Amino acid sequence: MYDQDQIIYKKAKNRVITRLIISWILLCLYFIGAFSVLNLDFLKTTNNLNTVIIVLAISQLCLYGFIFLLLSFGKKIFRVLYWLVFILTLCLFYVPIQFAMQDMAHILTYASMLGFMLIKTMFLVQLGSYLKHNKWSRIFFDLTIDVYEDEMEDTIEQPVIRVKQVKKKPVRQPEPEYIYEEEEEVEEKEPYTQPQVSIRLGIGIYASLMVFPILIQIFSNYFASYDLQTVFATQDMFMLCIFTALVWTVPVFYLYYDHPYAKRIVLICAILEVFCILFYAPKFIGYYVDKDPEYPLRVFILFILVDAIRYGVLFYCLKPLLHIESPTHIDEDDEN
C-alpha cells in the first residue's frame, strides 16, 4: 500500500507541476498579446505607458515564476503566499486608473488595459482554485490520498461479445426466428455544471474582446470609407466588446462559485446588453442616413454580421445554462 501511495503522489506531483508550467507559458502569451493589442493604431499607446507595461509584465512574470517554483515543492505555506501575491497584483488596477485621470484623451487605451487585467485576474483565480480544490492538488499539498481511493481504482473492462453473421440458405417453410437484441445503452453526456459554464463564458467574452476588434483592423479595407481615409466603427466595436467583457465578468464569478442567484445575474446582464444595443442603434443608424454618407452600404451589413456573430458566441457559451437547475442551498440537518 505504501508503494501505491508513492506512485499516486508522484503522479499528482507531475500533474500539478505540468499545470504550473503551462500556466506560466500562458501568462507569457497573455502579456505578449496584450502588448500587441494595446499598440494597435486606433489605441495610440504612449511611449511612457509602453514602458510601464513592459516593466509590469517582466516583474509579474518573474514574480509568478518564482511563486510557481516554490509551489512545485508541495508546501501548503506556498499556496498562502500565492494568494498574497495575487492580492498584490490586484493593486495594479490603480495604474491604468491613475493614467486615465491624468490623460482622458486616451481613455480607450486605459479601458482596454483594465479589460486585459480582468482577464488575467480571472485566470489567476481559477489557478488558485485548482491549487486548493483539485484532487491532484489536494494529494500533492494536503496528502489526502485516502479521500480519492475509490476514484482511482482501475475500471474493469467488460467482455466484448462478437456475433458472426451467417448467410442462410432458402428453405421452403422456414421456422420463425426470434432474435433478441440487447438494448444498447446510450451514454448520455453529463450535463454542464455552472462552474463549467463559467469557464466557457469567460473564454468566450475575453476572446471576443481581443478577436473581433483585431479582425476589423485586419480586414479594414472592407470597412473603409469612400475615400479610404477612415475605417468604420473600429472604436465602436472595441467599446462594445469592452462593455460586454465588463458586464459579463460579474456572472462569470457567480457561476464559477455556483451561486444560487447566478441565473438571475445572467438575466440582468442580458437585459443590459439589450439596452446597450438600443443605446447604440441611433448612432449606428445616423452613420447611414446622413445626407452625404461617408461609407458604402456593405460596411454596415458586414458590421451587423460581425456583431451578430459576437452575440452568437455569447449565446453559445450560455446555452448549457438553460438545462441547469439553479442550486438551492438549503440547510439540512444531515447529522441527525
Side-chain angles (χ1 to χ4, degrees):
M1 181 62 69
Y2 178 77
D3 294 338
Q4 185 179 0
D5 291 346
Q6 288 295 324
I7 293 173
I8 295 174
Y9 177 80
K10 289 181 180 179
K11 186 176 181 180
K13 180 179 180 180
N14 292 334
R15 284 177 176 266
V16 172
I17 292 177
T18 302
R19 180 63 177 264
L20 293 173
I21 294 174
I22 294 175
S23 298
W24 192 82
I25 294 174
L26 290 177
L27 281 177
C28 293
L29 296 176
Y30 157 80
F31 284 115
I32 293 173
F35 183 80
S36 301
V37 173
L38 291 174
N39 279 275
L40 293 176
D41 294 336
F42 67 93
L43 289 178
K44 300 179 182 179
T45 307
T46 61
N47 293 331
N48 189 21
L49 182 61
N50 274 336
T51 303
V52 173
I53 292 174
I54 293 173
V55 171
L56 290 179
I58 294 176
S59 60
Q60 288 181 79
L61 285 175
C62 294
L63 183 59
Y64 278 103
F66 178 69
I67 293 298
F68 292 167
L69 178 63
L70 294 178
L71 287 170
S72 64
F73 292 103
K75 303 296 183 181
K76 291 183 180 181
I77 187 64
F78 296 139
R79 283 193 309 194
V80 179
L81 185 61
Y82 171 85
W83 286 112
L84 293 177
V85 173
F86 172 78
I87 294 173
L88 180 63
T89 56
L90 290 180
C91 300
L92 296 178
F93 276 91
Y94 178 75
V95 174
I97 295 174
Q98 179 66 22
F99 271 92
M101 293 173 63
Q102 298 176 358
D103 183 17
M104 295 300 294
H106 297 89
I107 186 64
L108 181 61
T109 302
Y110 306 126
S112 306
M113 193 172 175
L114 284 172
F116 281 112
M117 293 177 74
L118 285 174
I119 297 174
K120 182 192 66 176
T121 301
M122 185 65 191
F123 172 76
L124 293 176
V125 168
Q126 292 181 354
L127 178 60
S129 178
Y130 171 86
L131 296 174
K132 178 65 177 178
H133 301 293
N134 183 268
K135 65 179 182 180
W136 298 110
S137 297
R138 289 176 62 85
I139 293 173
F140 184 49
F141 290 102
D142 302 326
L143 302 178
T144 54
I145 297 178
D146 55 333
V147 175
Y148 303 102
E149 185 176 354
D150 295 336
E151 297 182 7
M152 297 182 181
E153 292 181 354
D154 295 332
T155 56
I156 302 174
E157 296 184 357
Q158 299 294 333
V160 179
I161 302 175
R162 301 183 180 275
V163 180
K164 184 178 180 182
Q165 296 181 350
V166 181
K167 294 183 178 180
K168 297 181 181 180
K169 296 181 179 180
V171 185
R172 286 185 180 181
Q173 296 178 351
E175 297 180 358
E177 296 181 359
Y178 299 95
I179 302 174
Y180 297 94
E181 297 181 354
E182 295 183 357
E183 296 182 358
E184 297 181 355
E185 294 183 358
V186 180
E187 294 184 358
E188 298 182 356
K189 294 183 178 179
E190 295 184 359
Y192 282 88
T193 61
Q194 288 192 164
Q196 289 174 334
V197 176
S198 168
I199 296 174
R200 285 167 57 100
L201 180 60
I203 294 174
I205 60 176
Y206 297 132
S208 299
L209 177 62
M210 294 183 289
V211 171
F212 287 99
I214 294 175
L215 283 178
I216 289 185
Q217 190 70 18
I218 293 174
F219 298 100
S220 58
N221 292 335
Y222 295 95
F223 296 91
S225 58
Y226 283 114
D227 57 2
L228 303 178
Q229 297 299 319
T230 57
V231 179
F232 174 75
T234 305
Q235 292 186 0
D236 292 349
M237 172 58 75
F238 194 77
M239 289 304 298
L240 290 173
C241 292
I242 283 286
F243 176 82
T244 300
L246 292 176
V247 168
W248 289 97
T249 297
V250 177
V252 163
F253 283 100
Y254 272 78
L255 290 169
Y256 187 78
Y257 289 105
D258 211 14
H259 197 278
Y261 295 144
K263 281 191 173 183
R264 298 181 185 179
I265 301 297
V266 169
L267 180 59
I268 293 173
C269 292
I271 294 173
L272 290 177
E273 283 287 354
V274 173
F275 277 111
C276 178
I277 295 173
L278 296 176
F279 178 79
Y280 178 71
K283 180 181 178 181
F284 179 78
I285 296 173
Y287 287 119
Y288 181 69
V289 299
D290 193 3
K291 294 181 179 179
D292 297 323
E294 187 179 357
Y295 301 95
L297 178 61
R298 75 166 189 278
V299 170
F300 302 99
I301 296 176
L302 287 175
F303 186 86
I304 293 173
L305 179 62
V306 171
D307 207 36
I309 294 174
R310 186 173 69 87
Y311 282 111
V313 171
L314 181 62
F315 175 76
Y316 174 78
C317 296
L318 291 171
K319 187 178 178 181
L321 197 62
L322 300 175
H323 307 287
I324 299 176
E325 295 183 359
S326 299
T328 54
H329 296 286
I330 302 175
D331 295 329
E332 296 180 357
D333 296 329
D334 295 334
E335 297 179 357
N336 294 333

